[in-house]
């Protein structure tokens, strides 16, 4: 560990030190329904502190070592009305709660089957609606979650609007399962989630749970690094209206309108309309994003029916290529090499040399844009039986359609299946072309669950069936020399269909009031077919079937109300995605990946202090990684590596220093290795790939250190947050070579807010977010292609610089 890393580690660790006061007062009691029946699993939280517990098998709870003072207890249980009670504690007290059945079935029923609670042995972070709204001024959801443990974000446009991505524990987005109200969001073929297709979705989210590691069973793509479970907004009992507007650097604007009827005779209607525009930090990296959310439902005392529609439309100017390292370093000779080696034209190199080193964008064609429309239709039915068995079923349909347009100068006609054009004595084999690459897909299915709680058992059974049908095709929009080509001619056309089903049973069995056993068994099947011609005019027809068994076991030990210890072991399997199948060396077929995940967690909770330490070991079999080589048409090759692993420790802490000042932070230390890696580098001299046996190497994009720190001051509606983020060095391929790496970086942000209640509105809130206030220069993502020519190794690459000091300011009025 180098000295910079050691200093960063020590700095963060010092922030975990605090002083904790002890006293001897006890607050205890029992939670029952109106008939006096115990409600095991009811949640009891002490507002304004970090204390929280769940009722035992006989409904009892206890908080010990409390100081004298005023406390507010919040008690909740699914299917019952949440109750609050203020307690002035100057001696030990026993306070019982009798909860009334809820008049409505809350939206949390939709996600309960896939969520982990306080007794589930899963490493998780819950992000509330309030935490999201503190920073929701137009940036995408990955940017809003960037302060959670082991979370690293990146933005193509450099300012958090447009195409954004993230990794958790080094795992990229196509290895992270994402659901909305229990419905899978990951694209069935790429396994990724494109947040740009759902702009300002955070404004319709009530809360998010991030489970690191394998997590609990859910529908959709396999969780190989984490899972993200989002719950949309709950029904509001009262009518409301909200207007939110923000503006900031790079001509960024966000406008949002939200309306709701409130609950009228069991019926409620909610809607949101949003528009976000930004020029982006990178040249021409503009975004024009529009979205809407509608929901209508009937909410009875035991039955609810809800329908919702989520609409997103995006137009972004392409900034996918990044900035070559030679441009970042003002290396004139290196830039010229791009033309000399035929990587780009001399015209492109001249433009590169004349551009700004950090905002360069290779694309200059005025309509080099990505355009996509997506509509999600969802219908939910939930019923609570008299024996407290809950049933939930949801039907969903997503329709997506879009394209990206490209100008290709002097492109070969044969790449489009076209014969040379003969004009008189001249034979034309290359010409300027404008093309569009289209994706038109449908995704539909159903998910369901049954859940039952008894005194000693919390049981859930569920599953789902989903089908994807996607067309991929390319069309010619214009040619300088058209020949026999016509506007709209398709030069490739293929289709992918994928059926996925899963069933699971999971339960938490209370052995006694302290120890519980968790078991989760899932079977998941996949039938995937591809047929047709790809963009390189190859026939990519193929068929693949998988049947996976994903068991999970864990023990949770509540030492007392302040100390918790749990351990878990989980198995996850993941099928290759579309690009793994079609961008593969001829004659080879990738196989599925398997993960054995071991987690050990200790959690300490006091009234004004919270600490959590998690040890993890993620042991991979046949993980798919980039080899460094390319296939015969220039696409990056991926291969299964026999053995690889991630292991480390995640530390989180929070403390209320005073009534107005608090701090929270996290630190992740990890080692991420491929045990025996062979790198392939394309050899232009001899053809094919030259292989290098590197032995043990670092997994790309897996920093050994990440850390976050947030100091907060809140008093009389005024709030200030000082936010610091540190991301350690990352290699951008698996060679562990410093020449192909991202430097470590530290970014500091400041967030100001003020909220009050004017006479004309329910609330009025102002926010100002200053990002990167010390103007750090850093890149958060990159790609690289290596090749050998003249016996020497060279690189073609793209780095993604992030914006220097910038700001966003907003105002929200709620009526």
């Amino acid at each position: 560990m180098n000295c910079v890393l050691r200093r960063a580690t020590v700095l963060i660790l010092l922030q975990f030190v605090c002083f904790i006061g002890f006293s001897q007062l006890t607050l205890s009691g029992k939670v029952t329904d109106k008939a006096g029946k115990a409600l095991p699993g009811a949640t009891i939280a002490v507002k304004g502190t970090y204390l929280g517990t769940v009722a035992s098998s006989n409904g009892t709870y206890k908080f010990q070592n409390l100081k004298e003072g005023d406390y507010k207890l919040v008690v909740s249980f699914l299917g019952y009305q949440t109750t609050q009670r203020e307690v002035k504690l100057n001696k030990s007290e026993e306070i019982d709660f009798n909860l009334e059945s809820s008049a409505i079935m809350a939206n949390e029923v939709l996600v309960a089957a896939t969520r982990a609670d306080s007794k589930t042995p899963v490493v998780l972070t819950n992000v509330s609606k309030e935490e999201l709204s503190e920073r929701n001024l137009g940036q995408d959801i990955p940017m809003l979650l960037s302060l959670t443990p082991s979370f690293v974000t990146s933005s193509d446009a450099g300012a958090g609007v447009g195409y954004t991505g993230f990794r958790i524990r080094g795992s990229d987005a196509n290895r992270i399962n994402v659901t909305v109200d229990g419905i899978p969001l990951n694209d069935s073929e790429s396994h990724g989630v494109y947040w740009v297709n759902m702009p300002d979705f955070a404004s319709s989210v009530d809360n998010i749970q991030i489970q690191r590691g394998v997590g609990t069973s859910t529908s959709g793509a396999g969780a190989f690094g984490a899972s993200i479970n989002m719950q949309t907004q709950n029904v509001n009992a009262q009518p409301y209206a909200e207007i939110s507007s923000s503006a900031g650097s790079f001509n960024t604007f966000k406008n949002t309108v939200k309306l709701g009827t409130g609950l009228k005779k069991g019926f409620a209607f909610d809607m949101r309309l949003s528009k976000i525009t930004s020029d982006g930090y990178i040249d021409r990296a503009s975004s024009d994003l529009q979205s809407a959310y509608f929901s209508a439902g009937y909410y009875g005392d035991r039955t609810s029916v809800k329908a919702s529609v989520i609409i997103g439309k995006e137009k972004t100017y392409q900034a996918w290529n990044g900035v070559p390292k030679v441009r970042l370093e003002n290396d004139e000779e290196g830039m010229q090499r791009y033309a000399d080696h035929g990587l780009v034209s001399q015209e492109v190199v001249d433009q590169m040399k004349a551009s700004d080193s950090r905002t360069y964008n290779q694309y200059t064609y005025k309509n080099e844009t990505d355009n996509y429309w997506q509509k999600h239709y969802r219908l939910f039915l939930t019923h609570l039986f008299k024996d407290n068995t809950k049933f939930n079923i949801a039907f969903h349909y997503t329709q997506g359609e879009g394209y990206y347009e490209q100008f290709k100068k002097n492109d070969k006609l044969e790449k489009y299946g076209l014969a040379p054009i003969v004009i008189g004595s001249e034979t034309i084999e290359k010409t300027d072309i404008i093309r569009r690459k289209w994706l038109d897909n449908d995704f539909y299915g159903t998910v369901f669950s049954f859940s039952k709680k008894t005194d000693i058992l919390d049981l859930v059974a569920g599953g789902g069936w989903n089908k994807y049908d996607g067309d991929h095709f390319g069309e010619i929009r214009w040619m300088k020399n058209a020949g026999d080509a016509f506007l709209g001619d398709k030069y490739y056309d293929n289709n992918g269909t994928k059926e996925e089903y899963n069933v699971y049973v999971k339960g938490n069995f209370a052995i006694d009031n302290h120890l519980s056993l968790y078991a989760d068994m899932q079977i998941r099947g996949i039938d995937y077919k591809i047929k047709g011609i790809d963009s390189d005019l190859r026939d990519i027809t193929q068929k693949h079937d998988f049947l996976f068994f994903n068991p999970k076991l864990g023990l949770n030990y509540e030492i007392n109300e302040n100390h918790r210890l749990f351990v878990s072991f989980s198995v996850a399997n993941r099928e290759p995605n579309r690009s793994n199948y079609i961008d593969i060396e001829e004659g080879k077929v990738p196989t599925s990946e398997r993960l054995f995940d071991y987690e050990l967690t200790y959690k300490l909770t006091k009234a004004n202090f919270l600490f959590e330490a998690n040890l993890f070991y993620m042991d991979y079999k046949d993980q798919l990684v980039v080899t460094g080589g390319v296939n015969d048409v220039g696409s990056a090759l991926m291969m299964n590596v026999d053995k690889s692993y991630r292991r480390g420790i995640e530390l989180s802490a929070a403390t209320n220093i005073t009534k107005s000042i608090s701090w929270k932070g996290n630190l992740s230390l990890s080692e991420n290795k491929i045990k025996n890696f062979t790198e392939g580098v394309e050899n232009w001299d001899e053809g094919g790939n030259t292989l290098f046996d590197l032995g043990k190497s670092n997994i790309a994009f897996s920093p050994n250190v990440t850390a976050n720190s947030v100091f907060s001051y809140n008093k009389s509606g005024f709030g200030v947050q000082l936010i610091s983020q540190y991301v350690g060095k990352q290699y951008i391929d698996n060679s562990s070579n410093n020449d192909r790496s991202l430097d470590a970086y530290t970014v500091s942000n400041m967030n100001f807010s003020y909220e009050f209640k004017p006479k004309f509105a329910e609330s009025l809130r102002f926010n100002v977010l200053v990002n990167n206030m010390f103007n750090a220069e850093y890149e958060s993502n990159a790609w690289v292609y290596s090749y050998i020519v003249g016996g020497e190794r060279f690189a073609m690459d793209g780095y993604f610089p992030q914006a220097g000091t910038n700001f966003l300011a907003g105002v929200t009025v709620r009526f």
Side-chain angles (χ1 to χ4, degrees):
M1 186 179 292
N2 60 40
C3 61
V4 175
L5 187 149
R6 284 198 300 271
R7 287 198 298 269
T9 303
V10 171
L11 176 64
I12 299 298
L13 283 172
L14 285 174
Q15 297 187 75
F16 285 107
V17 178
C18 69
F19 297 95
I20 308 169
F22 294 93
S23 59
Q24 300 300 318
L25 299 183
T26 299
L27 184 58
S28 60
K30 188 174 184 179
V31 183
T32 65
D33 62 15
K34 283 299 182 180
K37 182 181 178 181
L39 295 177
T43 300
I44 306 97
V46 184
K47 200 169 184 178
T49 76
Y50 299 107
L51 293 175
T53 188
V54 295
S56 66
S57 59
N58 58 6
T60 60
Y61 72 93
K62 181 184 285 188
F63 296 105
Q64 297 185 111
N65 298 321
L66 296 178
K67 295 180 179 180
E68 290 188 13
D70 297 332
Y71 296 91
K72 180 179 285 187
L73 271 66
V74 182
V75 182
S76 59
F77 190 65
L78 201 59
Y80 290 81
Q81 294 182 32
T82 298
T83 300
Q84 297 189 25
R85 186 177 302 178
E86 294 184 359
V87 179
K88 188 174 183 63
L89 197 66
N90 50 35
K91 63 177 182 178
S92 294
E93 298 274 4
E94 284 192 21
I95 299 178
D96 295 335
F97 289 87
N98 305 114
L99 302 188
E100 293 187 6
S101 295
S102 176
I104 61 173
M105 290 293 293
N107 281 9
E108 60 191 282
V109 176
L110 305 178
V111 300
T114 53
R115 285 282 174 99
D117 60 25
S118 60
K119 288 187 176 294
T120 310
V122 169
V123 188
L124 59 84
T125 300
N126 290 314
V127 182
S128 67
K129 179 180 180 179
E130 291 72 26
E131 291 175 283
L132 292 170
S133 64
E134 284 176 353
R135 303 179 65 203
N136 183 18
L137 298 174
Q139 294 180 312
D140 291 341
I141 282 181
M143 313 306 289
L144 305 183
L145 300 179
S146 62
L147 300 178
T148 58
S150 303
F151 202 105
V152 178
T153 61
S154 181
S155 167
D156 283 11
V161 179
Y163 270 91
T164 57
F166 68 97
R167 293 182 174 87
I168 300 178
R169 290 186 179 175
S171 294
D172 58 28
N174 66 36
R175 286 175 164 84
I176 296 171
N177 175 276
V178 182
T179 57
V180 176
D181 295 330
I183 293 173
L185 188 60
N186 299 74
D187 178 82
S188 292
E189 288 196 299
S190 73
H191 299 185
V193 172
Y194 303 98
W195 301 99
V196 71
N197 298 335
M198 301 176 70
D200 198 29
F201 187 59
S203 292
S204 295
V205 171
D206 186 80
N207 60 80
I208 297 175
Q209 183 175 95
I210 303 173
Q211 300 177 11
R212 299 189 298 281
V214 172
T216 60
S217 289
T218 184
S219 291
F224 253 53
S227 55
I228 297 178
N229 184 306
M230 297 185 287
Q231 178 187 329
T232 53
Q233 64 186 56
N234 269 312
V235 60
N236 285 271
Q238 301 299 323
Y240 69 93
E242 182 177 298
I243 301 172
S244 177
S245 295
S246 60
S249 302
F250 319 117
N251 288 320
T252 299
F253 295 95
K254 169 183 173 288
N255 291 287
T256 301
V257 177
K258 296 174 66 176
L259 299 170
T261 62
L263 199 62
K264 303 293 184 183
K265 297 182 179 180
F267 292 91
F269 175 81
D270 298 273
M271 66 166 286
R272 172 187 58 82
L273 301 173
S274 300
K275 182 175 176 63
I276 302 171
T277 57
S278 177
D279 290 344
Y281 169 65
I282 302 298
D283 295 341
R284 298 174 295 283
S286 60
S287 299
D288 185 351
L289 316 175
Q290 302 170 51
S291 68
Y293 173 84
F294 304 94
S295 72
Y298 168 76
Y299 303 87
D301 57 348
R302 290 192 173 274
T303 302
S304 70
V305 179
K306 177 183 175 181
S308 68
V309 180
I310 304 168
I311 300 172
K313 181 181 180 182
E314 63 91 5
K315 182 175 184 177
T316 55
Y317 196 96
Q318 295 176 35
W320 303 340
N321 264 7
V323 179
K325 188 176 183 179
V326 291
R327 173 62 279 183
L328 284 171
E329 297 179 346
N330 295 311
D331 179 0
E332 294 261 348
E333 183 180 342
M335 286 186 269
Q336 184 59 46
R337 173 178 55 80
Y338 268 59
D340 295 344
H341 287 182
L343 300 173
V344 297
S345 67
Q346 185 62 50
E347 180 183 353
V348 170
V349 168
D350 292 341
Q351 175 211 342
M352 188 190 306
K353 290 179 179 180
S355 69
D356 180 85
S357 62
R358 296 194 62 78
T359 65
Y360 166 71
N361 186 352
Q362 177 181 330
Y363 299 121
T364 57
Y365 166 56
K366 66 178 181 179
N367 199 38
E368 194 93 8
T369 57
D370 180 69
N371 306 262
Y372 199 76
W373 307 265
Q374 196 171 68
K375 305 179 187 71
H376 304 255
Y377 304 93
R378 300 143 13 114
L379 178 65
F380 302 91
L381 170 64
T382 303
H383 183 72
L384 176 63
F385 295 95
K386 290 185 178 180
D387 64 351
N388 280 337
T389 299
K390 291 179 283 293
F391 171 67
N392 176 57
I393 188 168
F395 301 93
H396 66 90
Y397 168 62
T398 299
Q399 194 274 326
E401 182 181 15
Y403 65 89
Y404 62 90
E405 186 166 303
Q406 292 181 310
F407 172 75
K408 306 297 288 186
K409 186 175 181 61
N410 207 26
D411 216 8
K412 294 180 179 179
L413 292 174
E414 64 180 4
K415 290 170 61 175
Y416 303 88
L418 299 173
I421 300 170
V422 179
I423 302 177
S425 61
E426 182 183 6
T427 299
I428 299 173
E429 297 182 345
K430 296 180 180 180
T431 190
D432 296 347
I433 293 175
I434 295 175
R435 69 187 188 189
R436 286 181 179 177
K437 290 190 172 184
W438 280 86
L439 176 62
D440 185 355
N441 55 47
D442 300 280
F443 178 59
Y444 52 91
T446 181
V447 296
F448 64 91
S449 68
F450 291 87
S451 59
K452 171 72 175 176
K453 279 192 176 184
T454 68
D455 292 350
I456 61 172
L457 182 63
D458 186 354
L459 185 66
V460 179
W465 173 86
N466 304 293
K467 183 170 183 177
Y468 172 91
D469 188 342
D471 292 323
H472 306 255
F473 59 92
E475 63 179 22
I476 298 170
R477 300 298 299 172
W478 173 85
M479 294 176 62
K480 185 176 181 180
N481 298 286
D484 294 330
F486 291 93
L487 178 67
D489 276 0
K490 291 183 180 180
Y491 65 96
Y492 75 90
D493 193 354
N494 62 79
N495 171 265
T497 60
K498 186 173 185 179
E499 287 189 68
E500 180 261 342
Y501 66 87
N502 78 94
V503 290
Y504 61 82
V505 177
K506 49 189 170 184
N508 215 324
F509 176 73
I511 298 173
D512 56 32
N513 284 336
H514 296 279
L515 184 64
S516 60
L517 171 66
Y518 177 79
D520 183 343
M521 305 293 163
Q522 182 193 50
I523 294 176
R524 179 169 178 258
I526 300 104
D527 178 14
Y528 183 36
K529 299 173 184 175
I530 306 173
K531 60 180 179 181
I533 304 300
D534 199 23
S535 59
D536 53 21
L537 307 187
R538 288 180 302 135
D539 187 342
I540 56 172
T541 301
Q542 51 194 287
K543 182 179 184 301
H544 307 279
D545 298 292
F546 298 93
L547 184 63
F548 297 135
F549 175 54
N550 301 317
K552 308 165 187 70
L553 294 170
L555 281 173
N556 179 68
Y557 183 51
E558 302 278 352
I559 302 170
N560 55 41
E561 75 279 1
N562 299 124
H563 301 271
R564 178 189 177 204
L565 184 70
F566 68 80
V567 61
S568 67
F569 168 71
S570 306
V571 179
N573 292 274
R574 176 182 175 273
E575 73 277 17
N577 63 23
R578 173 185 166 88
S579 63
N580 297 150
Y581 281 125
I582 65 175
D583 298 328
I584 190 68
E585 190 173 349
E586 188 176 354
K588 293 187 177 180
V589 179
T591 188
S592 60
E593 307 166 275
R594 178 169 294 180
L595 167 62
F596 301 94
D597 183 23
Y598 306 83
E599 309 274 346
L600 174 63
T601 302
Y602 165 74
K603 189 171 184 177
L604 167 67
T605 307
K606 295 286 187 178
N608 292 309
F609 181 67
L610 176 69
F611 174 75
E612 183 174 315
N614 177 63
L615 290 167
F616 65 89
Y617 182 75
M618 303 172 72
D619 186 16
Y620 295 90
K621 173 67 176 174
D622 294 327
Q623 184 177 189
L624 280 160
V625 300
V626 177
T627 68
V630 296
N631 63 14
D632 56 358
V633 294
S635 298
L637 294 175
M638 296 192 75
M639 70 174 184
N640 298 101
V641 292
D642 184 33
K643 295 179 180 180
S644 54
Y645 66 85
R646 304 181 189 274
R647 62 185 179 191
I649 184 170
E650 296 165 326
L651 304 173
S652 301
T655 181
N656 292 327
I657 301 170
T658 69
K659 287 186 177 180
S660 302
I661 301 174
S662 63
W663 173 85
K664 64 179 179 180
N666 55 72
L667 169 69
S668 300
L669 304 172
S670 65
E671 182 184 59
N672 311 274
K673 298 288 186 180
I674 300 171
K675 292 187 176 180
N676 188 17
F677 180 65
T678 299
E679 180 189 29
V681 178
E682 188 175 20
N683 192 318
W684 290 10
D685 297 329
E686 302 173 2
N689 293 304
T690 298
L691 303 180
F692 299 91
D693 188 358
L694 302 180
K696 182 179 281 191
S697 65
N698 293 285
I699 302 177
F701 301 106
S702 300
N704 291 338
V705 183
T706 62
N708 298 286
S709 172
V710 182
F711 282 97
S712 300
Y713 172 82
N714 290 281
K715 189 172 184 179
S716 302
F718 177 71
V720 180
Q721 289 184 320
L722 173 61
I723 303 167
S724 299
Q725 297 176 283
Y726 174 82
V727 177
K729 178 180 179 179
Q730 304 173 66
Y731 294 100
I732 63 176
D733 63 14
N734 298 305
S735 67
S736 302
N737 191 297
N738 292 330
D739 291 337
R740 295 181 290 280
S741 66
L742 293 166
D743 293 335
Y745 57 87
T746 301
V747 181
S748 297
N749 310 320
M750 187 78 82
N751 190 12
F752 301 90
S753 64
Y754 180 59
E755 185 171 6
F756 64 99
K757 296 183 178 180
K759 292 182 179 180
F760 63 87
E762 179 182 322
S763 68
L764 178 61
R765 187 181 72 219
F766 296 94
N767 285 81
V768 177
L769 179 62
V770 182
N771 295 304
N772 195 4
M773 60 184 183
F774 298 127
N775 204 32
E777 288 192 356
Y778 69 102
E779 297 80 46
S780 59
N781 196 14
W783 60 269
V784 64
Y785 157 66
S786 295
Y787 62 97
I788 296 171
V789 63
E792 187 176 353
R793 178 170 177 163
F794 296 94
M796 180 182 186
D797 52 32
Y799 287 70
F800 293 87
Q802 303 300 287
T805 303
N806 64 95
F807 78 94
L808 293 165
V811 58
T812 300
V813 185
R814 186 175 176 90
F815 301 93

